[in-house]
Amino acid sequence: MGARTGEEYLKGLRATSREIWLGGEKVDNVVDHPEFTQAAHAMASWYDLQFEHPDELLIPDPETGEQINISHMIPRSKDDLNRRAVGLTRMSELSMGVMGRLPDYMNVTFAGFAGNPSDWRGADQENEQGCANIVEFQKRLRRHDLSLTHTIVHPVTDKVKDNDFQTNKVPLHKVGETKDSIIVRGARLLATLAPYADEQTVYPATPLPPGANEYALAFTVAMDAPGLVFLCRDSGLRPNADPIDAPFSTRFDEQDALCIFDNVEIPKRNFFINGSLEVYNQVMGRSSWWPNIMQQTTIRALTKLEFAYGLLVRMAEAVNDTSERTIEMLGEVLGYIEVTRNAILLSELNASAWESGGVYPEARALHPMRALLPDWFVRVNDIIKTVGSHNLLAAASHGAFENPRINALMNEFQPGANGMSADTRSAVYRLAWDFTGSLLGSRNELYERNYLTSAKTNRMNSHRVHSEANRQRGNELVDKVLADARGL
């Protein structure tokens, strides 16, 4: 079939019955439900985007020739990486990076898995079937242009006891088996994009302890599988708001959900790992997955930072704020942008081929971003609130300006500086509030804090796993100083 249009995507959502809960309501039709419809249509816009910019966003399937989204590409050269970067940038601009789990995220993820499948086989070829399954799934994913959600984190119920997998039945685990299926039970999170996905995927995150083989699972399953339950958080969408007043909250809440598997039957052909603890614990660390996906996620972050900088400049212009404090903070955000851009460019410049022939960005250039970006996004939100100050809470709505009396009063008592109209000034500050302070803005700050695990975890992993090159160079320099000192 190849790339889908937005209309085809929405038709697919309407055709499946899934168990989606919002509060006490079971939502049968997310496309037309007032709390979901805007984001569903925003997703449809993502699918339409590939036909609006086919030169950037569509490529031929390497086997069938049908047109597929560029995020399904398994890069084979630096030119491929650069071309994909152009497409990923275009897609991130749909929501200015606010929607972190648009389909291209999972598309790039599984292209990375399938592009280096030997990592999934295991040392003794124990997972040969799972390896074959993930390659076949990636073909189906790209040829049917599916939208995926994923869950990789075990719920926290008791931090003292959660790691005792021998007695803990809360995390997702195997409970039975038939000739053609595995039956699973338990919970996982965080199923971002769940209401708008075609399938639910599961793959490893943190390693499991010895003996936890029944928890070592990775697979995909259709969203309408019996027993698959999604409990959504409160919606950040504002169904009746004017888009000028809330440009993000009227369209771009991708949702998050607790995913419960209530004895769900998963076809064996859909399993990537079925009880192989060795593969489960090692595949994410040794595979090309994370340097590959970090191109996508760092490009999304760059777009979001660039938007935030542009917004801050506009906010300062609205009140002619040229104070040293504000200018310094603008320069701080600009520094985040340039470091992020440099990391992307360096990772692509130093890209290398893996044994399977896939060419992926350099891990060394991108790994620090996993620790830096969570802190930077929190800081950027703080800067926006500092620069915006009380103006974020005193911006009239677009509807108020339609009243001639209010319009006149606002242009008399709260115009923008240097000829900026009052309604433009209000729109700028309302945009800033929606980006940082609204229910959706607050969710996005929490999301960025934990987007690729916490900054603390990534800093620790950087030292433990990825520091060899820097350690070698550091040792050389320390030894040089000590040797020179002894010679004095």
Side-chain angles (χ1 to χ4, degrees):
M1 181 175 71
R4 291 192 289 178
T5 65
E7 182 179 352
E8 289 170 332
Y9 162 74
L10 294 175
K11 182 179 179 181
L13 280 188
R14 286 191 174 100
T16 57
S17 175
R18 61 202 51 210
E19 192 166 353
I20 303 284
W21 288 84
L22 182 65
E25 180 185 5
K26 183 176 179 293
V27 180
D28 295 319
N29 179 357
V30 298
V31 176
D32 300 312
H33 190 279
E35 297 288 341
F36 292 106
T37 185
Q38 294 101 321
H41 283 84
M43 283 284 292
S45 297
W46 183 92
Y47 281 95
D48 284 334
L49 194 67
Q50 57 194 346
F51 294 99
E52 294 167 8
H53 302 278
D55 292 344
E56 294 178 349
L57 300 182
L58 292 178
I59 58 172
D61 183 281
E63 294 180 357
T64 67
E66 58 194 341
Q67 293 295 294
I68 60 173
N69 191 278
I70 197 169
S71 56
H72 295 295
M73 173 193 283
I74 299 174
R76 303 294 182 186
S77 66
K78 290 183 181 180
D79 286 343
D80 282 349
L81 274 181
N82 293 334
R83 183 180 177 192
R84 188 174 70 172
V86 171
L88 293 174
T89 300
R90 173 72 69 182
M91 288 181 279
S92 72
E93 291 172 359
L94 178 70
S95 69
M96 296 302 155
V98 167
M99 296 181 80
R101 292 294 193 257
L102 284 168
D104 50 291
Y105 178 87
M106 294 301 290
N107 293 349
V108 172
T109 289
F110 276 90
F113 290 160
N116 208 50
S118 60
D119 292 328
W120 293 80
R121 288 194 177 95
D124 300 320
Q125 313 295 304
E126 62 182 273
N127 193 41
E128 185 67 36
Q129 186 58 56
C131 175
N133 288 349
I134 206 166
V135 172
E136 287 304 310
F137 172 67
Q138 198 266 338
K139 293 179 182 180
R140 181 164 66 85
L141 171 64
R142 71 194 193 219
R143 292 171 187 171
H144 291 269
D145 211 6
L146 301 176
S147 169
L148 302 182
T149 182
H150 74 301
T151 52
I152 60 175
V153 179
H154 300 300
V156 175
T157 59
D158 186 329
K159 289 192 173 183
V160 174
K161 300 178 181 178
D162 280 347
N163 288 330
D164 182 5
F165 282 85
Q166 302 303 319
T167 59
N168 188 357
K169 297 303 180 183
V170 171
L172 178 67
H173 58 286
K174 176 180 176 179
V175 295
E177 184 171 355
T178 68
K179 177 184 177 183
D180 299 315
S181 302
I182 303 293
I183 302 169
V184 300
R185 186 171 183 81
R188 279 228 181 180
L189 48 86
L190 188 62
T192 301
L193 212 72
Y196 316 109
D198 299 302
E199 296 195 18
Q200 161 71 64
T201 60
V202 170
Y203 52 84
T206 55
L208 294 168
N213 297 67
E214 65 185 21
Y215 299 84
L217 305 172
F219 57 81
T220 183
V221 62
M223 293 292 288
D224 59 356
L228 190 57
V229 181
F230 296 91
L231 304 180
C232 295
R233 61 166 167 77
D234 293 347
S235 175
L237 286 173
R238 297 177 57 195
N240 300 315
D242 190 317
I244 297 177
D245 291 335
F248 295 109
S249 294
T250 50
R251 294 178 288 171
F252 297 137
D253 185 1
E254 56 194 351
Q255 257 299 342
D256 309 291
L258 171 65
C259 180
I260 297 175
F261 296 82
D262 184 13
N263 293 339
V264 178
E265 196 168 324
I266 314 290
K268 289 182 179 179
R269 65 179 180 275
N270 287 351
F271 267 86
F272 316 133
I273 301 175
N274 179 15
S276 175
L277 195 61
E278 182 267 338
V279 175
Y280 187 97
N281 284 347
Q282 296 185 29
V283 67
M284 302 304 286
R286 69 189 179 197
S287 76
S288 59
W289 165 77
W290 85 257
N292 185 49
I293 192 58
M294 279 301 293
Q295 185 195 35
Q296 187 275 345
T297 195
T298 311
I299 285 173
R300 179 195 69 85
L302 176 60
T303 298
K304 194 172 184 180
L305 288 169
E306 289 173 327
F307 168 80
Y309 177 74
L311 177 60
L312 278 162
V313 170
R314 197 72 59 88
M315 292 164 63
E317 290 174 347
V319 292
N320 199 22
D321 182 358
T322 59
S323 64
E324 288 188 359
R325 184 188 186 200
T326 294
I327 298 302
E328 179 189 3
M329 288 188 289
L330 291 176
E332 181 181 342
V333 176
L334 191 59
Y336 300 155
I337 289 172
E338 296 307 330
V339 171
T340 304
R341 190 193 326 278
N342 290 344
I344 295 169
L345 294 175
L346 184 61
S347 73
E348 294 170 357
L349 178 66
N350 293 335
S352 59
W354 288 57
E355 63 182 56
S356 62
V359 174
Y360 301 110
E362 181 193 37
R364 181 180 179 183
L366 291 173
H367 193 274
M369 306 311 299
R370 298 181 68 169
L372 293 171
L373 286 169
D375 288 343
W376 288 356
F377 278 120
V378 173
R379 174 61 180 153
V380 166
N381 278 8
D382 184 60
I383 289 173
I384 290 173
K385 292 173 184 176
T386 300
V387 172
S389 186
H390 62 276
N391 296 299
L392 297 171
L393 305 177
S397 69
H398 179 64
F401 282 97
E402 294 179 352
N403 180 284
R405 179 171 179 269
I406 298 300
N407 193 313
L409 289 171
M410 289 297 293
N411 276 290
E412 180 180 358
F413 296 116
Q414 203 179 53
N418 297 317
M420 181 184 289
S421 66
D423 61 335
T424 298
R425 169 190 161 130
S426 286
V428 168
Y429 283 115
R430 292 187 74 95
L431 171 60
W433 178 252
D434 198 33
F435 187 64
T436 62
S438 65
L439 179 59
L440 180 60
S442 298
R443 174 268 177 189
N444 283 341
E445 179 174 311
L446 179 61
Y447 185 76
E448 296 291 1
R449 286 175 182 264
N450 300 283
Y451 180 69
L452 290 170
T453 71
S454 69
K456 173 186 174 182
T457 299
N458 280 313
R459 284 192 289 265
M460 293 170 65
N461 287 340
S462 182
H463 175 70
R464 290 170 177 167
V465 182
H466 302 282
S467 65
E468 188 58 38
N470 289 320
R471 185 178 303 177
Q472 181 179 348
R473 174 63 174 158
N475 284 339
E476 291 174 358
L477 296 176
V478 171
D479 289 342
K480 184 178 188 303
V481 171
L482 292 176
D484 290 347
R486 290 189 180 99
L488 293 177

